[in-house]
Amino acid sequence: MGSRGRNRGRTQRKHFKDKRDDVWKRPKSDPSLDLNNPGTDNPAWQPFAVQNAAFDEYYKAQGIVAPEEWDVFLEILRKPLPAAFRINSSSQFCYDIRCQLEDDFMKSLQAEAIEGGEVEAIKPLPWYPEKLAWHSNFSRMQIRKNRTLERFHEFLKLENEIGNITRQEAVSMVPPLFLDVRPEHYVLDLCAAPGSKTFQLLEIIYQSIKPGSLPAGMVVANDPDVQRCNLLIHQTKRMCTANLIVTNHDGQQFPGCRSNKSIPNTREEKTELKSSINQLLFDRVLCDVPCSGDGTLRKAPDIWRKWNSGMGNGLHSLQVLIAMRGLALLKVGGRMVYSTCSMNPVEDEAVVAEILRRCGGSVELVDVSNELPELVCRPGLKKWKVRDRGVWLASYKDVPKFRRSVILPSMFPSGRGFDDQNNVNQRHENGDNINSEDGSKQVDVPVASCDDLVEEISNFPLECCMRILPHDQNTGAFFIAVLQKLSSLPAIPEKSINKQGKLDSPNNEPPENLSNQAFEDNNLEIDSEDVPDGKLSEAASEADASDDKPEKAALEPGQCNECEEHVLEQPQAPISTEVDSRTAGTKRKKQMQGKWKGVDPVVFFKDEIIMNSIKTFYGIDESFALKGHLITRNNDPNHVKRIYYVSKSVKEVLELNLQVGQQLKISSVGLKMFERQTSREGTSVPCLFRISSEGLPVILPYITKQILYSSPVDFKHLLQYKTIKFAEFVDSQFGEKASNLMMGCCVIVLRQDKSGSDPIKVDSSTIAIGCWKGRASLSVMVTAIDCQELLERLVKRMEMEEGTSVRENNGKADELQDVRSSASNGEAESMTD
């Protein structure tokens, strides 16, 4: 094999030497590559065909809208989706951003809206609390390409990158609102990437939290795809939270993490691990499952040409298993939201009905349609049909025997299975051509008209589900069901699990024994026939909010970069049904720390010398607990570069995870609090670790040393010039105090009052940055984009305080322009985070 590889290499080098033409490469001047100027001169460009006869036939027959609404529904569905975004309620600039939208952009963009035939340019979503979510009547493409909207586009990009806003489809914001999350709740986002809903959940648990304190609750965000986990981490990193764990598991096999205290632990574990919980259960679960995604047609028009009814059929089993796993991990009395961005009842109401069927009376469907009165929702369907290979099926008895591994009883409203012999007799009566020996011959099923079928009606209160349709409030489409867990789930008898690991319940009768155990450790496989390959993609719509971000994770083939939801694209390839060899057929073995392939270990930081040096150098108050709350991702204590801080709730989960053999595959956890200084000066300072920008807001109220309070003028100059010598500060006393600090990291706090009192009381409006005190100067350790954002906010606050605007004060406008230019170009050398 080695020789073949070498020969191939020589051949390739020979081809390059001979300068053979690359038939796949086109010159940059090729006009067919210019997608920004579509038209007759661009023969390669073709608009998306926004129609599909199969789509029309399917949804007309399902009756998702009244016949008189169909034309309006289809017209809206063919139009581009307006942009929407949400203000981060936990941001210290939340109020400033909302005022800027109301007082600036609503007025400045109005002329552009009137020219385009719209009544309003931007407006708050009427159903979202406190005007924190906004809707634009311009599409994302218009915002990016229209020069008049350029300032608005730059605003969205900057604030999204900082984390002050999140660009997110309006209907995607709805499910977290129905979870009724409180700060003390443990929340599981079972299919989380790209992370906009996770970010929203974190915002909710951080509501009403004082600076320096952390919520009692936490969020576990999970996704089965490694690359989308990276995207999830990038999105949630903007939140700067110590209350988040990102995991990488298949949703239907998420670990239960049940501690068995009878198993002896190592001596170290006995003394160090003291988690107060012995099983990982959640108060709230968000189950936004992978789906066919036809609710996202407005922002992903390529789905039009790919759509077929088999896409939803192939995902039904997986969706049921993921939802059941979510319910098994939910505490009794807890609430779970099941949602999709699909309009297909096989993925929506049929899944909810099967959940209720399997759970018996242990779960109820909750009607929450009145909780957001201004959100236009329609009730769920009580009846629907299944379509398979061009044939309409009203009930399971109409399914040919050779298709029964694909079309399941749970897809129909009644959920009833039928005895095979009864079906054979029925087909004899109907004159079907059946092999008389075993009845196994494939039969020719007559193609019946949809109107000729006798419809089944579900006996569950599926009208409590909610359907959001595009033409009601100019949005995408979405399906939401809220489930309340009343008692432990029924156990699954061993005989009801077949050889393939699927639930085998012909009549779908719920078992009698009540227990969650059956759902906690069984690695159930899913039906592999007609299910797309395991790259069940949730495309990262909001990821393209930062159009030029290099950090955005590469998407798998088949993933749409325009859609935020879990959108499936290739309905014919089978999904992998491989089971982890560590868990298949045997009791789960204890997973040793750091043994997950390709994942850094989670190690509690215990170096007392380093911790004491940090506490002494920064004068950290004893009330701020460091011991037991610091972790690293490196087993070697001598080469730790970053130290992360975790909340009490996350600490307990990590300890439990170690006790049970590290069943959780953790991709990201903790808030980066300290970072080793690697510069030449940094190696000679008393403390080798500096405070990171992400962790500064949490630890700021507890710092008593290496902290200074600056006037607005000197603070603004620091952000503008990045490095200032001590003698060059406007406030000479401040420069003298800075020169007297110990060499190393320090914190500069903006003193907004004019009293000059030190220290000041830290609250939600306090602005602080990390700096480096050198031999002769003070240097900012903040990224250029953070400097730009802080400068913008400072200038706007100064304008509000003085009651003037930039246009009325040309001098201030020039100063602001200089400030913005220096921030974006990075004119002065800086030590960035």
Side-chain angles (χ1 to χ4, degrees), residues 250 252-253 523-526 528 575-581 583-584:
D250 289 335
Q252 69 274 23
Q253 296 178 357
N523 292 298
L524 300 180
E525 298 180 9
I526 65 171
S528 63
I575 190 171
S576 170
T577 57
E578 292 181 1
V579 180
D580 193 332
S581 60
T583 58

Side-chain angles (χ1 to χ4, degrees), residues 261-435:
K261 295 186 177 181
S262 63
I263 299 177
N265 295 323
T266 64
R267 180 179 303 174
E268 182 182 3
E269 288 174 335
K270 283 183 178 180
T271 57
E272 296 295 334
L273 302 180
K274 300 177 182 178
S275 175
S276 61
I277 57 176
N278 60 6
Q279 186 179 3
L280 184 56
L281 294 175
F282 298 90
D283 302 278
R284 299 289 186 267
V285 174
L286 177 59
C287 198
D288 189 47
V289 296
C291 67
S292 58
D294 54 23
T296 66
L297 282 165
R298 298 187 67 183
K299 62 180 179 182
D302 58 319
I303 295 177
W304 279 105
R305 62 182 176 85
K306 304 172 186 177
W307 188 94
N308 65 77
S309 59
M311 296 168 68
N313 295 345
L315 281 168
H316 173 84
S317 294
L318 175 63
Q319 291 164 339
V320 171
L321 287 176
I322 293 176
M324 290 301 298
R325 189 65 189 140
L327 286 170
L329 296 165
L330 184 65
K331 294 178 181 178
V332 173
R335 177 180 283 195
M336 184 180 91
V337 167
Y338 173 86
S339 63
T340 76
C341 56
S342 169
M343 295 179 281
N344 193 340
V346 174
E347 303 178 70
D348 298 338
E349 287 88 353
V351 174
V352 175
E354 178 65 5
I355 292 170
L356 297 173
R357 198 174 293 118
R358 292 188 181 186
C359 294
S362 59
V363 171
E364 70 172 353
L365 191 57
V366 183
D367 184 1
V368 294
S369 56
N370 294 325
E371 290 189 8
L372 297 176
E374 295 192 68
L375 176 66
V376 179
C377 293
R378 302 192 179 206
L381 304 178
K382 294 279 286 185
K383 58 183 181 179
W384 61 90
K385 308 174 190 71
V386 177
R387 189 171 176 84
D388 179 48
R389 297 191 172 182
V391 178
W392 284 105
L393 306 168
S395 66
Y396 189 66
K397 67 182 180 182
D398 298 323
V399 181
K401 186 174 182 179
F402 72 96
R403 294 295 294 167
R404 292 192 175 185
S405 62
V406 179
I407 305 301
L408 307 176
S410 58
M411 296 179 180
F412 297 89
S414 71
R416 293 176 56 204
F418 295 85
D419 182 77
D420 288 344
Q421 185 59 42
N422 290 338
N423 286 302
V424 172
N425 294 337
Q426 182 65 38
R427 290 181 187 134
H428 272 301
E429 294 174 6
N430 294 337
D432 293 338
N433 181 22
I434 303 178
N435 188 311

Side-chain angles (χ1 to χ4, degrees), residues 454-713:
V454 179
E455 297 177 338
E456 292 183 351
I457 299 179
S458 175
N459 58 358
F460 291 110
L462 299 179
E463 66 276 5
C464 293
C465 301
M466 291 169 288
R467 283 179 164 266
I468 301 176
L469 296 180
H471 61 298
D472 286 335
Q473 287 182 306
N474 196 17
T475 63
F478 224 76
F479 173 85
I480 302 162
V482 180
L483 298 155
Q484 191 89 8
K485 188 171 182 179
L486 305 178
S487 61
S488 298
L489 300 184
I492 304 175
E494 293 183 4
K495 63 181 180 180
S496 68
I497 301 178
N498 62 21
K499 293 180 180 179
Q500 287 76 31
K502 296 180 229 174
L503 292 178
D504 185 11
S505 181
N507 296 317
N508 295 280
E509 296 293 338
E512 296 180 358
N513 298 329
L514 298 179
S515 169
N516 286 343
Q517 187 62 38
F519 290 101
E520 284 164 2
D521 295 315
N522 287 329
N523 292 298
L524 300 180
E525 298 180 9
I526 65 171
D527 193 346
S528 63
E529 189 168 352
D530 281 5
V531 184
D533 62 1
K535 305 177 177 85
L536 300 170
S537 63
E538 172 183 342
S541 84
E542 318 333 330
D544 87 325
S546 52
D547 300 339
D548 306 315
K549 286 190 289 193
E551 300 92 341
K552 187 168 72 173
L555 297 176
E556 290 279 355
Q559 293 187 16
C560 169
N561 193 36
E562 293 298 320
C563 310
E564 192 266 347
E565 314 309 331
H566 305 264
V567 178
L568 183 66
E569 296 209 347
Q570 299 176 358
Q572 300 304 323
I575 190 171
S576 170
T577 57
E578 292 181 1
V579 180
D580 193 332
S581 60
R582 292 180 300 234
T583 58
T586 60
K587 186 175 181 179
R588 187 189 299 273
K589 294 181 180 179
K590 291 192 70 178
Q591 179 70 36
M592 298 306 293
Q593 188 175 30
K595 294 297 183 180
W596 286 109
K597 185 177 180 180
V599 178
D600 293 329
V602 178
V603 182
F604 280 96
F605 187 75
K606 303 172 184 177
D607 193 320
E608 296 281 353
I609 297 177
I610 292 180
M611 277 195 287
N612 288 334
S613 69
I614 291 174
K615 291 172 67 175
T616 301
F617 186 75
Y618 297 107
I620 299 175
D621 192 275
E622 291 294 334
S623 61
F624 186 76
L626 288 180
K627 188 175 182 180
H629 289 263
L630 299 181
I631 63 167
T632 68
R633 303 303 299 266
N634 189 343
N635 270 323
D636 186 356
N638 297 321
H639 294 85
V640 171
K641 293 183 179 180
R642 300 174 186 87
I643 303 175
Y644 300 86
Y645 188 83
V646 296
S647 67
K648 182 177 182 293
S649 54
V650 171
K651 169 179 174 287
E652 291 178 348
V653 172
L654 294 179
E655 290 174 342
L656 173 65
N657 190 42
L658 290 174
Q659 288 177 359
V660 298
Q662 195 145 341
Q663 294 175 13
L664 290 177
K665 183 180 179 183
I666 297 176
S667 299
S668 176
V669 61
L671 173 66
K672 186 170 70 172
M673 184 66 72
F674 305 109
E675 191 163 10
R676 186 183 292 271
Q677 184 60 42
T678 56
S679 69
R680 183 176 300 177
E681 281 187 345
T683 58
S684 59
V685 296
C687 181
L688 296 178
F689 286 83
R690 59 187 176 93
I691 301 174
S692 72
S693 296
E694 296 96 319
L696 180 57
V698 173
I699 200 172
L700 179 61
Y702 306 94
I703 298 175
T704 60
K705 298 179 181 177
Q706 294 292 108
I707 185 169
L708 293 177
Y709 302 87
S710 167
S711 66
V713 174

Side-chain angles (χ1 to χ4, degrees), residues 202-229:
L202 287 166
E203 290 178 32
I204 296 173
I205 70 168
Y206 267 84
Q207 285 180 354
S208 304
I209 298 299
K210 297 179 180 179
S213 60
L214 296 173
M218 60 164 296
V219 175
V220 174
N222 176 73
D223 199 87
D225 186 87
V226 174
Q227 290 188 350
R228 286 187 293 130
C229 267

